[in-house]
C-alpha cells in the first residue's frame, strides 16, 4: 500500500506547545540509541584521514559496513549542493568503496575520477519532475533517490550521506514513504533547524512535531541513532529564534540494525 503521509506522533503536551515540542525533539537528536565504538576510517589498518566534518559511520563488526568495505563491495551515495568538502567521499573511495556523488553544480552529466569515484550532475529530490509541466523542465536533472537506484541498477546503498541545505526533511520523508530507506545500511544527514525547510509548512510547534515524527519513523524501521554532532560554528538558531540552546545545524548518523 502506498503511503502519502507519515504517521504523526502525539503532541508532546496536552495542548500544542513549541517549548514542549522543541525540548522533546532536541533531546531526541542529542541522545544516542545505540553505542558504536569505531566511527571513522582511522580504525582500519594503515589509515589516517582527517575530515572537516564528522561524517560518522559505524564500523563495528556487528554491522555489515566494515565487512563490505573489507570485501570491496560497499557503495556510498553522497547528496550535496556545490559543497567543496569531499574528503569523506575520497576516503571512502580510497578504501575501495564505489562512491557516487550527486550534485547539480557538477560541470558534466557524469564524470569518473579514479577507479571508484563518480560525479553525477543530478539533484536528488522528493519528487520526480513532471515533463508536462513547463516549470519542471528546468529541473530535468532532478530525481527521486528510488528512481536513481532503479536507473543505476543498484539494489542497496551501504551509506547515504546528505548535506542538502534544508531539503533533507522532504527527502527523508520520501525515502520513508516509498520504503527506499530499507535499501540503505547507514544514514549520515546534516539537518537544519533554523527554519522549517523546503516545502515544510505549519506553525512552529507543528513543524517540530513533524520533524520528530519523521525521525521516529526511522526508528520504527530499525534505524538507531549512534552519533550526533552539534555544529557550534553555525548560528545558534531554532526556527529563527535564538532559543533552546540549539545550533541551527546537526549532523546525525543512524545505522540500520537489520543489516548485519
Amino acid at each position: 500500500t502506498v503511503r502519502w503521509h507519515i504517521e504523526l506522533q502525539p503532541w508532546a503536551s496536552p495542548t500544542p506547545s513549541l517549548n514542549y515540542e522543541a525540548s522533546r525533539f532536541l533531546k531526541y537528536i542529542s541522545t544516542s540509541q545505540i553505542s558504536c565504538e569505531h566511527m571513522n576510517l582511522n580504525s582500519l589498518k594503515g589509515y589516517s584521514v582527517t575530515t572537516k566534518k564528522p561524517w560518522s559511520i559505524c564500523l563495528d563488526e556487528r554491522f555489515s559496513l566494515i565487512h563490505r568495505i573489507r570485501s570491496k563491495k560497499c557503495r556510498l551515495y553522497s547528496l550535496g549542493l556545490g559543497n567543496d568538502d569531499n574528503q569523506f567521499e575520497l576516503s571512502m573511495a580510497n578504501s575501495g568503496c564505489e562512491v557516487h556523488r550527486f550534485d547539480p553544480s557538477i560541470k558534466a552529466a557524469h564524470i569518473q575520477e579514479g577507479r571508484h569515484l563518480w560525479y553525477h550532475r543530478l539533484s536528488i529530490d522528493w519528487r520526480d519532475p513532471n515533463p508536462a509541466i513547463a516549470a519542471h523542465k528546468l529541473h530535468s536533472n532532478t530525481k527521486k533517490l528510488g528512481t536513481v537506484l532503479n536507473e543505476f541498477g543498484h539494489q542497496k546503498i551501504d551509506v547515504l550521506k546528505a548535506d542538502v541545505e534544508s531539503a533533507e526533511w522532504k527527502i527523508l520523508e520520501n525515502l520513508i514513504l516509498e520504503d527506499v530507506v530499507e535499501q540503505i545500511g547507514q544514514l549520515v544527514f546534516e539537518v537544519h533547524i533554523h527554519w522549517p525547510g523546503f516545502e515544510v509548512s505549519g506553525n512552529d510547534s507543528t513543524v517540530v512535531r513533524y520533524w520528530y515524527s519523521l525521525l521516529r519513523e526511522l526508528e520504527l524501521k530499525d534505524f538507531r541513532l549512534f552519533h550526533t554532532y552539534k555544529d557550534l560554528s553555525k548560528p545558534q538558531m531554532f526556527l529563527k529564534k535564538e532559543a533552546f540552546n540549539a545550533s541551527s545545524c546537526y549532523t546525525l548518523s543512524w545505522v540500520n540494525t537489520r543489516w548485519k
Side-chain angles (χ1 to χ4, degrees):
T1 56
V2 176
R3 289 206 297 157
W4 298 101
H5 302 285
I6 61 155
E7 197 74 38
L8 285 175
Q9 291 289 319
W11 291 100
S13 54
T15 51
S17 140
L18 178 59
N19 278 355
Y20 278 100
E21 293 305 319
S23 97
R24 174 172 72 171
F25 171 76
L26 290 166
K27 184 181 178 192
Y28 192 81
I29 64 168
S30 306
T31 310
S32 294
Q33 297 167 332
I34 196 168
S35 68
C36 177
E37 287 174 30
H38 305 288
M39 279 195 283
N40 61 30
L41 291 165
N42 295 339
S43 60
L44 298 177
K45 268 202 184 102
Y47 242 84
S48 127
V49 57
T50 50
T51 54
K52 292 181 196 168
K53 267 197 191 132
W55 299 107
S56 297
I57 49 179
C58 189
L59 298 168
D60 285 3
E61 296 284 339
R62 61 192 163 136
F63 300 121
S64 64
L65 182 58
I66 184 66
H67 307 288
R68 291 176 67 82
I69 289 175
R70 286 188 190 126
S71 61
K72 307 283 190 260
K73 286 182 180 158
C74 67
R75 180 180 292 133
L76 164 74
Y77 271 31
S78 165
L79 319 182
L81 293 170
N83 190 332
D84 303 331
D85 179 16
N86 60 354
Q87 235 7 78
F88 178 71
E89 290 79 356
L90 289 171
S91 58
M92 288 293 277
N94 289 339
S95 66
C97 288
E98 176 190 330
V99 175
H100 296 272
R101 168 92 173 158
F102 299 90
D103 185 331
S105 67
I106 286 161
K107 293 180 177 59
H110 305 283
I111 302 168
Q112 183 172 357
E113 274 196 12
R115 275 180 59 199
H116 301 293
L117 181 58
W118 287 264
Y119 290 94
H120 309 280
R121 188 173 59 206
L122 267 177
S123 173
I124 302 297
D125 203 355
W126 54 93
R127 64 209 150 180
D128 285 328
N130 181 337
I133 299 175
H136 279 205
K137 285 189 178 152
L138 299 169
H139 303 286
S140 57
N141 63 345
T142 295
K143 289 180 178 169
K144 293 190 294 193
L145 189 67
T147 305
V148 172
L149 282 168
N150 289 337
E151 289 179 1
F152 284 23
H154 294 161
Q155 300 298 315
K156 291 189 165 182
I157 307 170
D158 292 284
V159 180
L160 176 65
K161 171 201 165 190
D163 180 2
V164 287
E165 305 304 337
S166 300
E168 64 275 358
W169 299 110
K170 294 301 281 186
I171 289 173
L172 194 54
E173 181 185 58
N174 169 254
L175 298 183
I176 290 166
L177 290 176
E178 297 193 353
D179 290 330
V180 176
V181 77
E182 288 163 14
Q183 296 170 257
I184 300 168
Q186 299 193 20
L187 290 168
V188 193
F189 267 56
E190 189 167 279
V191 301
H192 301 85
I193 60 176
H194 58 291
W195 70 295
F198 290 108
E199 292 198 20
V200 177
S201 57
N203 63 25
D204 286 354
S205 51
T206 306
V207 165
V208 184
R209 179 195 186 197
Y210 163 75
W211 290 344
Y212 174 72
S213 301
L214 263 182
L215 303 188
R216 286 301 304 272
E217 289 255 358
L218 277 181
E219 193 181 336
L220 291 171
K221 291 190 177 284
D222 293 316
F223 278 82
R224 296 292 178 266
L225 188 67
F226 65 86
H227 190 253
T228 301
Y229 170 71
K230 179 180 179 180
D231 192 341
L232 295 173
S233 70
K234 297 278 172 75
Q236 305 300 290
M237 297 291 281
F238 187 91
L239 293 175
K240 303 185 178 161
K241 303 174 184 65
E242 290 183 19
F244 308 113
N245 192 26
S247 169
S248 59
C249 178
Y250 291 75
T251 307
L252 306 176
S253 300
W254 292 268
V255 60
N256 182 342
T257 57
R258 287 182 197 173
W259 281 40
K260 299 292 188 198

